[in-house]
Amino acid sequence: MEEFLRLEKIHKSFVGVHALKGVDFTLRKGEIHCLVGENGCGKSTLIKIISGVLQPDSGRIVVEGQPVASLGSAATMARGIQVIYQDLSLFPNLTVAENIAIAEVKERGGGVVDWDEVRRIARAAMARIRVDLDLDAEVGELPIGVQQLVAICRALTSDLKLLILDEPTASLPKHDIENLLSVVRDLQAHGIAVLFVSHKLNEIFAVAERITVFRDGERVATLPPNELDDDRLVALMTGRTLARKVFAFADASARKVLEVRGLSKRNHFADVSLELRAGEIVGLTGLIGSGRTELALALFGISPAESGEIRVEGKPVQIRSVQDAVAAGIAYVPENRLVQGLVMKHSVEANVTATVLDRLLGRLGLVDPARKQALAREWIKALGIKVSNPAVPVQTLSGGNQQKVVIAKWLAASPRILILDGPTVGVDVMAKAAIHDYVRGLAARGMAVLLITDEEAEAVANTNRILIMRAGRIRDEIVAAAAEAEQVQQLVEAPS
Amino acid sequence: MRAEGQRLAGATVAAMLRQLLRHNETWLAILIVVLCAGITIANPAFLTYENVAGFLKSSSMTGIMAVGVLIVLILSGSPDVSFTAIAQVVEYAVAVATLQWGGNIYLALAAAAAMGVLMGLVNGAIVHWFRVPTIIVTIATFNIYFGMLYVITHGKLINLVHPMFRDFGNTLLFSRVSSIGASYGLSLMTLVWLAAVLLGWFILRKTFLGRSVFAIGGNEVAAERLGIAMLRTRLFAFGFVGLLSGVAAVVHLSIVQAVVPNIIVGKELEVIAAVVLGGASVFGGKGTALGAALGVLLFAILNNGLTLLNVSSYWYNVTIGVVITVAITNSAYQALRRRRARVHVKVEA
Amino acid sequence: MIPAFLQRPSANRTLAGVLVAIVVLMSALNPQRFPTIGNLISMSYQLPIIAFLSLGMMVAMVSGGINLAIIATANFTGIVMALLLRAVAGDAAEEAGAGVALLAMGGGLAAALVLGAVMGWLIAYVEVPAILTTLAMMTLLNGVNLVITKGYTLSGFPEFLLGVGNGMLGPVPIPFLILVAVVMGMAVFLRRTRTGLGLYLLGSNPIAAGYSNLHVRAVLVRTYALSSAFSALTAFIMVGQLNSVKANYAESYLLVSVLACFLGGVDPFGGTGTLTGMVLAVVILQVVSTGVNLLRMDPFFIQALWGFIILVLIAAGFLGERLREVRRLRAARLAQQAAPGSTVGTGP
């Protein structure tokens, strides 16, 4: 196949960091190519160089056989290269039609806007990937999966040759991922190359023709998917092999810590019953929109259930607020670490102690600063958070360490029941393993854990039972030891 | 067949109505109509040509400013508060300059506009290059413009202005003569306001420049990535509010025919409130010229209505305070309900 | 945003340096009148009003909002006090004792707290943007104040109140002592109470704060009540110093209080800002204002000066950023020259 883009010996350094160390990389016309690697491996820097946001320190860039000095943002667009970033770069206050057409209208020189033409441009772009969206809908009101399609349509208004999708599926529910992948295959049929940057491994195998793995600023391998499996890919990404251990629940007759009977909330979930025993890790999975996160939020008091019964250690409890949940010994590590989990500007100490300020009161009912700092140090040590001192702002930490801070802040509240919602999303492979080990350790010491996850493999390996939700109800329960990830996936996606 | 057609037509009308009711402007228009009806019942003098033309004239200055304020609010999600100081400085300068050198009204308008644009551009440049919120920059320039005006003029009133302003301000269209021999009619000042609204509408709705204002207000990072001309758009918006402040200053001068150097400043929050009442979002990215005009109109009617109902003018602020409180609370509450009612999960039986 | 040098941990040292420099400058420009005990006393009379208003603005800003109604609330408090005094003591208000005066102050404070709680409730529970809520409250209160006073000045306050605003305890003005006590109380509140610590958390990220066992809405209501309490304190001092109340006293201080927050390093988007920074900022503003005043400059020049100071701070912050950037780039270039073509990085 013909080459579209060739990078030769690309070097790029930032202060103190050699982000790309002489990278060679080729991309063929109309191919679907995936770029994987751990955080900080250089893949985002590479994307930025291809898209013209950054200039390489040295090296050669060849586009369609012609060497180019460097790519500026405008120049890349002119060469038919478009990037869709994770944040999609849409305008929430404008309509679908205008969001799609705005780049094209701008290219034509702006001036007076012909609204009929705007709609024509938008319709033409939608027709290319065979979607039909309401042109007058305000983009901010649309679900994220539809927004993604709007962003792709916008890229299609230009003469597109290469579309780069940066972590496109990180926030997408499963059926939207399917939808997106079929759109990607469609683009390929039009001769458009697609470069995926992704964290999730299974979806990569579904579409990619070639997979390039980066580690520490170097390209370690470019392989077709049939020469790779999960284990080999992880080994390439980390340079290490991970021993896979399966969670074993020791005492099936341990006391019931949490019992939920007939819990319901309109438009959220209905008639949910479940039990959690001390030392047990129970998986909870389902598509986005199946009600799994909504159930967790109800147990944690963020959006309380309307009817049903919750018992903790056999005693009935009313959970109307986060305060009630905390008093009952329930902790929740939320799905979105940046928005729900952490106050990024503030120190590790402030974050770790936020949940337990009322337990740090000294004389006169005032918070005791010495005890506050001691508590923070204690948890930094316990979880092995890499930070020089507790006063460092959380935003300077790596993703894995940030996630440990979120877990620490909830363990500090000494809960009986720990709900983990996607605890390893966006965390790289090594940190992920460390978090799994730690959670198992907690269970071994008697914590009851509810692990909500999108990754069937994670559920199978780290729990003893898996609950599967569809359309607001728990529909299936399977024993993890006897299950395969594929089987769980089928149940998750089964028609309800 | 015909029944079917009628049903369809009915459905379309209902859909159109629903569509209309989603717009803030519709609610505002309804409120204005109800208010007008109420005041007219209490005092029939309200809904007369003379009275309506009167308050349309006297609120033309704030009306003109509101269009500019709207554009900056959409762009930056943070209000400009310096526009009254700009108008105040321009008004004083134009009054002094025309007394000194004469000239004609067009020249005065052009000079006022140019001066306003310059002062607005200063705001725009600082906001763009130093990346500071509009409100902070304009608080600073407000103080500088207004403070320096007093330092230079010592706050001296100008009681006598060039007669051309009187002629300009008194120009009427469709004029009639009242029973006591005074003529009244649609003031040219009102038409200047109307022109400003139309210009604002055209720019915001029909030009790419206007759409860029919305784009930047909706998602600044995305606008920059898309290659939208950030500097040019910002300079335009701030220059435009300056231009309209300059024009508003001449309109004001032509109506009152005197300069009191602190009469315009102090109105900034009222104008911003009118714009927000007209549906502009304080977070940027949303708003219409029609809404801004209706917001100003509502305040004008309240003011005039209170006078006609023989309510002390002290009650004006109370009334406006109540109206703003009710309006913003209602729209925040509606938004809250919409968010809460959003279906998360389709629960199946 | 806020110039970085006002937000760094060393920011307060910079501010202290600026303060010393200004004091030296003013003393040099006006050696007869500025560096005197009399002037020091007169400054410590004036400082509390601007300080209380700025602290009221600060707590709202740290929570991620703003309180445009602080001045209107202060005037309203003063008017409530005047009305209460008349209701209780009638025409003999001036001769009323400390008990009656304290009753009036309590009533004024209660009124301010209620107004603050109402604003906080609208902001926290109905989710009306703070800038709109407080703008509406400001307009409403200005109107109410006018309706009650009809634009006149109400005067004639009891001795006790005048003492609060004007009295001396030894060589130190009583309002200054009140300020010192309040600042110490604030220090404890902001650093050692759950509400105070929670205020910073929710200002930075209200969602995460809510997920962290913090009752965000209750804290917001308390924050605006506290902000209004500062307005009430301002009213106590103002009434005492002016022996009168009016619908629109001190209106120009609204902008000055925003400026003080800006100078003190409070992020208008919430979550940061130290008490030390605020105190230094307020003192700087007072020294500049008094100093320029003593030079017999136009008071409007002082107003313009505030504007220039903001712009200079903005520009300085920007230039600071730029300088650091240049230095970073230079360091990067040097590092590369030291190891040409080398692929050995210092590691991610």
Side-chain angles (χ1 to χ4, degrees):
Chain A
M1 234 190 298
E2 225 183 315
E3 233 172 61
F4 174 69
L5 174 80
R6 166 185 289 274
L7 302 180
E8 291 170 6
K9 302 248 172 307
I10 298 290
H11 282 269
K12 179 74 192 175
S13 294
F14 305 102
V15 183
V17 181
H18 205 139
L20 292 177
K21 306 169 184 171
V23 169
D24 295 323
F25 179 76
T26 57
L27 197 69
R28 298 174 192 145
K29 281 191 179 157
E31 84 167 324
I32 302 179
H33 197 123
C34 279
L35 206 55
V36 293
E38 299 211 290
N39 291 334
C41 68
K43 60 184 196 291
S44 345
T45 310
L46 187 79
I47 296 301
K48 284 182 181 152
I49 285 176
I50 296 176
S51 63
V53 175
L54 291 176
Q55 310 304 323
D57 299 337
S58 64
R60 224 162 76 98
I61 303 172
V62 182
V63 180
E64 294 188 288
Q66 297 195 337
V68 276
S70 69
L71 291 166
S73 273
T76 43
M77 277 189 213
R79 290 179 194 281
I81 301 173
Q82 296 261 1
V83 191
I84 297 180
Y85 293 96
Q86 208 174 352
D87 67 15
L88 300 181
S89 293
L90 293 172
F91 303 102
N93 55 330
L94 304 182
T95 63
V96 168
E98 195 172 4
N99 264 288
I100 295 176
I102 189 165
E104 177 64 13
V105 172
K106 182 186 150 284
E107 284 314 306
R108 294 185 192 174
V112 174
V113 178
D114 175 353
W115 287 100
D116 292 333
E117 184 61 22
V118 165
R119 300 175 75 88
R120 267 196 295 280
I121 293 169
R123 273 204 208 93
M126 293 195 314
R128 284 186 71 181
I129 52 168
R130 286 174 291 172
V131 296
D132 188 21
L133 310 173
D134 177 4
L135 287 177
D136 297 317
E138 216 169 80
V139 162
E141 311 259 300
L142 299 173
I144 186 83
V146 180
Q147 293 191 8
Q148 186 111 44
L149 296 177
V150 173
I152 293 177
C153 286
R154 177 157 80 200
L156 285 171
T157 57
S158 65
D159 181 17
L160 187 63
K161 287 177 187 152
L162 166 62
L163 181 64
I164 303 172
L165 293 163
D166 189 5
E167 297 270 359
T169 57
S171 51
L172 282 189
K174 236 176 205 117
H175 62 275
D176 284 340
I177 295 181
E178 294 295 318
N179 205 350
L180 175 72
L181 295 184
S182 80
V183 165
V184 164
R185 288 196 196 94
D186 237 38
L187 292 177
Q188 186 186 25
H190 285 90
I192 296 168
V194 178
L195 180 61
F196 259 112
V197 185
S198 184
H199 243 107
K200 289 191 185 176
L201 306 183
N202 47 355
E203 75 205 17
I204 298 174
F205 291 117
V207 287
E209 288 163 294
R210 292 198 297 163
I211 297 168
T212 293
V213 186
F214 266 75
R215 187 173 72 228
D216 291 338
E218 288 176 277
R219 186 175 61 90
V220 288
T222 298
L223 296 164
N226 56 17
E227 289 177 27
L228 275 173
D229 57 26
D230 269 6
D231 289 336
R232 177 137 161 68
L233 191 58
V234 168
L236 284 171
M237 280 162 63
T238 60
R240 272 171 280 197
T241 43
L242 288 177
R244 285 175 180 262
K245 291 172 285 182
V246 174
F247 172 70
F249 177 38
D251 181 9
S253 61
R255 68 182 199 286
K256 291 174 187 171
V257 180
L258 176 72
E259 294 162 86
V260 174
R261 296 269 166 273
L263 207 65
S264 300
K265 183 176 170 74
R266 233 181 109 242
N267 288 334
H268 287 70
F269 50 83
D271 198 22
V272 167
S273 299
L274 60 89
E275 312 180 336
L276 234 61
R277 290 175 188 269
E280 197 178 22
I281 306 179
V282 172
L284 176 65
T285 184
L287 301 173
I288 287 183
S290 65
R292 55 185 174 118
T293 292
E294 289 73 9
L295 172 62
L297 292 180
L299 291 175
F300 189 54
I302 296 265
S303 77
E306 286 156 357
S307 63
E309 190 191 22
I310 301 172
R311 284 168 178 268
V312 173
E313 305 276 10
K315 285 191 243 24
V317 288
Q318 287 287 328
I319 296 180
R320 311 296 314 158
S321 67
V322 175
Q323 284 72 31
D324 291 346
V326 172
I330 300 176
Y332 174 66
V333 173
E335 203 175 6
N336 187 334
R337 167 171 77 231
L338 304 183
V339 176
Q340 299 160 336
L342 294 169
V343 182
M344 301 297 281
K345 280 204 289 188
H346 288 238
S347 65
V348 174
E349 178 182 325
N351 275 281
V352 169
T353 56
T355 48
V356 286
L357 289 174
D358 51 342
R359 298 186 200 166
L360 296 171
L361 305 184
R363 276 178 303 138
L364 302 169
L366 297 174
V367 174
D368 182 341
R371 278 171 63 190
K372 185 161 163 268
Q373 205 191 52
L375 183 78
R377 286 188 189 282
E378 192 182 306
W379 282 106
I380 288 171
K381 201 166 148 227
L383 277 157
I385 299 169
K386 289 198 192 79
V387 62
S388 55
N389 82 64
V392 168
V394 173
Q395 60 192 0
T396 59
L397 272 57
S398 72
N401 278 308
Q402 288 176 357
Q403 187 66 351
K404 286 179 186 171
V405 174
V406 187
I407 294 174
K409 103 178 188 188
W410 278 111
L411 294 179
S414 42
R416 298 186 185 92
I417 301 155
L418 180 64
I419 306 173
L420 297 162
D421 198 346
T424 58
V425 170
V427 169
D428 58 34
V429 181
M430 293 312 290
K432 196 169 175 173
I435 289 172
H436 288 154
D437 280 346
Y438 194 80
V439 171
R440 289 173 187 200
L442 288 174
R445 275 171 272 147
M447 181 87 75
V449 181
L450 185 65
L451 174 69
I452 304 175
T453 178
D454 254 348
E455 287 182 46
E456 290 82 9
E458 181 175 44
V460 168
N462 294 291
T463 67
N464 59 310
R465 285 185 291 137
I466 304 170
L467 309 173
I468 294 150
M469 283 187 87
R470 290 192 301 270
R473 289 165 190 270
I474 294 179
R475 298 286 180 162
D476 295 287
E477 174 175 338
I478 55 176
V479 177
E484 290 289 330
E486 286 71 26
Q487 183 195 351
V488 180
Q489 186 172 351
Q490 276 168 16
L491 290 171
V492 164
E493 290 165 12
S496 50
Chain B
M1 233 13 226
R2 176 179 294 178
E4 176 75 355
Q6 275 174 353
R7 205 176 56 77
L8 272 179
T12 323
V13 169
M16 275 172 62
L17 268 178
R18 263 200 304 278
Q19 187 65 31
L20 265 180
L21 286 179
R22 285 182 55 197
H23 289 288
N24 202 62
E25 293 86 341
T26 315
W27 290 103
L28 203 50
I30 293 172
L31 181 62
I32 287 175
V33 169
V34 171
L35 202 62
C36 287
I39 299 171
T40 310
I41 291 166
N43 185 347
F46 175 76
L47 212 59
T48 58
Y49 182 32
E50 183 174 10
N51 185 53
V52 172
F55 71 71
L56 284 180
K57 177 180 179 183
S58 56
S59 50
S60 48
M61 177 192 71
T62 46
I64 294 165
M65 289 170 163
V67 178
V69 171
L70 169 76
I71 291 187
V72 169
L73 192 58
I74 294 173
L75 176 93
S76 59
S78 170
D80 183 327
V81 295
S82 69
F83 61 95
T84 52
I86 294 179
Q88 196 73 70
V89 170
V90 170
E91 182 178 52
Y92 209 103
V94 167
V96 171
T98 47
L99 280 178
Q100 195 88 33
W101 299 306
N104 63 46
I105 192 71
Y106 303 107
L107 208 59
L109 270 171
M115 222 179 135
V117 168
L118 269 180
M119 293 164 89
L121 288 180
V122 171
N123 289 330
I126 297 172
V127 167
H128 179 82
W129 277 306
F130 297 128
R131 298 181 188 278
V132 185
T134 301
I135 187 158
I136 290 186
V137 173
T138 52
I139 280 179
T141 50
F142 173 96
N143 280 283
I144 295 172
Y145 293 154
F146 182 59
M148 291 315 286
L149 175 68
Y150 260 73
V151 170
I152 293 166
T153 66
H154 302 294
K156 233 169 43 203
L157 310 186
I158 303 175
N159 292 316
L160 189 75
V161 299
H162 197 284
M164 70 186 176
F165 292 110
R166 190 190 57 220
D167 297 340
F168 183 59
N170 289 346
T171 310
L172 298 176
L173 288 93
F174 314 112
S175 64
R176 294 190 199 158
V177 179
S178 71
S179 50
I180 55 166
S183 57
Y184 62 90
L186 190 60
S187 166
L188 189 56
M189 304 303 101
T190 310
L191 290 186
V192 177
W193 174 17
L194 185 67
V197 172
L198 286 176
L199 182 64
W201 170 81
F202 179 78
I203 291 171
L204 284 177
R205 190 65 207 152
K206 294 282 179 189
T207 69
F208 189 71
L209 189 60
R211 300 321 291 172
S212 303
V213 168
F214 279 98
I216 295 173
N219 186 345
E220 205 177 308
V221 177
E224 198 154 12
R225 276 191 197 143
L226 203 64
I228 282 175
M230 308 295 279
L231 175 63
R232 200 171 60 197
T233 312
R234 289 208 177 98
L235 286 182
F236 157 74
F238 283 94
F240 189 69
V241 74
L243 178 127
L244 289 183
S245 303
V247 171
V250 174
V251 164
H252 185 255
L253 185 60
S254 305
I255 294 173
V256 300
Q257 289 147 36
V259 181
V260 183
N262 62 359
I263 193 93
I264 303 179
V265 298
K267 291 210 186 298
E268 51 281 345
L269 292 178
E270 188 182 320
V271 177
I272 292 166
V275 168
V276 171
L277 209 57
S281 160
V282 281
F283 303 116
K286 278 186 185 151
T288 64
L290 176 65
L294 289 175
V296 172
L297 192 60
L298 179 70
F299 284 179
I301 291 170
L302 278 174
N303 193 4
N304 180 257
L306 289 176
T307 314
L308 289 183
L309 300 179
N310 280 323
V311 180
S312 149
S313 67
Y314 295 134
W315 282 95
Y316 174 60
N317 271 332
V318 179
T319 325
I320 289 203
V322 170
V323 169
I324 302 176
T325 310
V326 171
I328 59 175
T329 306
N330 178 52
S331 69
Y333 179 67
Q334 298 299 341
L336 194 65
R337 265 185 40 179
R338 270 200 300 279
R339 276 202 299 281
R340 290 214 173 124
R342 206 170 276 171
V343 174
H344 297 268
V345 178
K346 278 200 198 106
V347 178
E348 285 177 18
Chain C
M1 211 33 279
I2 288 275
F5 73 91
L6 288 181
Q7 286 209 308
R8 275 202 305 277
S10 61
N12 291 340
R13 249 176 292 150
T14 314
L15 276 185
V18 170
L19 176 58
V20 171
I22 293 175
V23 169
V24 170
L25 177 74
M26 290 299 172
S27 306
L29 285 175
N30 202 345
Q32 273 87 49
R33 291 152 53 101
F34 189 82
T36 62
I37 297 290
N39 184 39
L40 197 63
I41 292 174
S42 110
M43 280 199 293
S44 48
Y45 265 118
Q46 292 163 19
L47 187 64
I49 290 186
I50 165 83
F52 287 145
L53 288 172
S54 302
L55 288 174
M57 187 61 88
M58 175 206 179
V59 290
M61 279 200 176
V62 169
S63 80
I66 191 168
N67 187 356
L68 295 175
I70 44 171
I71 313 279
T73 310
N75 284 319
F76 180 74
T77 308
I79 291 168
V80 167
M81 283 162 60
L83 295 183
L84 276 174
L85 280 171
R86 287 201 185 169
V88 176
D91 288 339
E94 270 178 76
E95 282 85 51
V100 176
L102 281 170
L103 179 80
M105 289 163 81
L109 179 64
L113 287 175
V114 168
L115 291 176
V118 168
M119 289 190 286
W121 182 80
L122 283 172
I123 293 163
Y125 287 86
V126 195
E127 298 179 22
V128 186
I131 188 171
L132 292 184
T133 309
T134 57
L135 169 66
M137 183 59 87
M138 178 191 94
T139 314
L140 186 63
L141 285 181
N142 279 342
V144 170
N145 292 345
L146 258 180
V147 167
I148 297 175
T149 62
K150 305 201 165 46
Y152 292 113
T153 305
L154 308 181
S155 51
F157 285 88
E159 203 59 40
F160 181 83
L161 261 171
L162 304 187
V164 168
N166 266 333
M168 296 276 271
L169 196 75
V172 189
I174 288 175
F176 186 75
L177 291 174
I178 298 176
L179 174 64
V180 170
V182 167
V183 166
M184 289 189 332
M186 275 292 279
V188 171
F189 169 74
L190 291 176
R191 275 179 234 152
R192 307 276 305 269
T193 68
R194 293 176 63 194
T195 306
L197 290 166
L199 171 62
Y200 282 94
L201 290 176
L202 89 88
S204 265
N205 183 345
I207 298 174
Y211 274 77
S212 307
N213 193 16
L214 183 74
H215 200 311
V216 170
R217 291 184 162 146
V219 174
L220 269 178
V221 172
R222 280 178 229 156
T223 300
Y224 282 88
L226 176 65
S227 181
S228 288
F230 277 111
S231 296
L233 272 173
T234 311
F236 298 161
I237 310 289
M238 226 158 54
V239 163
Q241 293 189 348
L242 302 170
N243 191 14
S244 66
V245 294
K246 208 179 156 204
N248 57 355
Y249 272 145
E251 274 184 330
S252 64
Y253 280 10
L254 185 59
L255 298 182
V256 179
S257 68
V258 174
L259 169 59
C261 290
F262 189 61
L263 191 59
V266 180
D267 183 344
F269 294 123
T272 45
T274 64
L275 190 62
T276 319
M278 283 304 295
V279 169
L280 285 169
V282 167
V283 174
I284 289 175
L285 292 183
Q286 185 62 54
V287 168
V288 171
S289 149
T290 306
V292 176
N293 229 338
L294 287 179
L295 290 172
R296 299 192 191 289
M297 288 208 196
D298 193 323
F300 286 98
F301 179 73
I302 300 177
Q303 191 177 350
L305 195 64
W306 295 148
F308 281 117
I309 290 177
I310 298 184
L311 291 190
V312 167
L313 285 173
I314 290 170
F318 179 75
L319 290 180
E321 281 296 304
R322 271 292 156 92
L323 280 176
R324 260 197 307 289
E325 209 171 293
V326 168
R327 236 175 276 151
R328 245 196 325 260
L329 288 175
R330 193 179 301 152
R333 215 173 300 135
L334 285 175
Q336 244 191 349
Q337 280 165 2
S342 147
T343 53
V344 184
T346 38

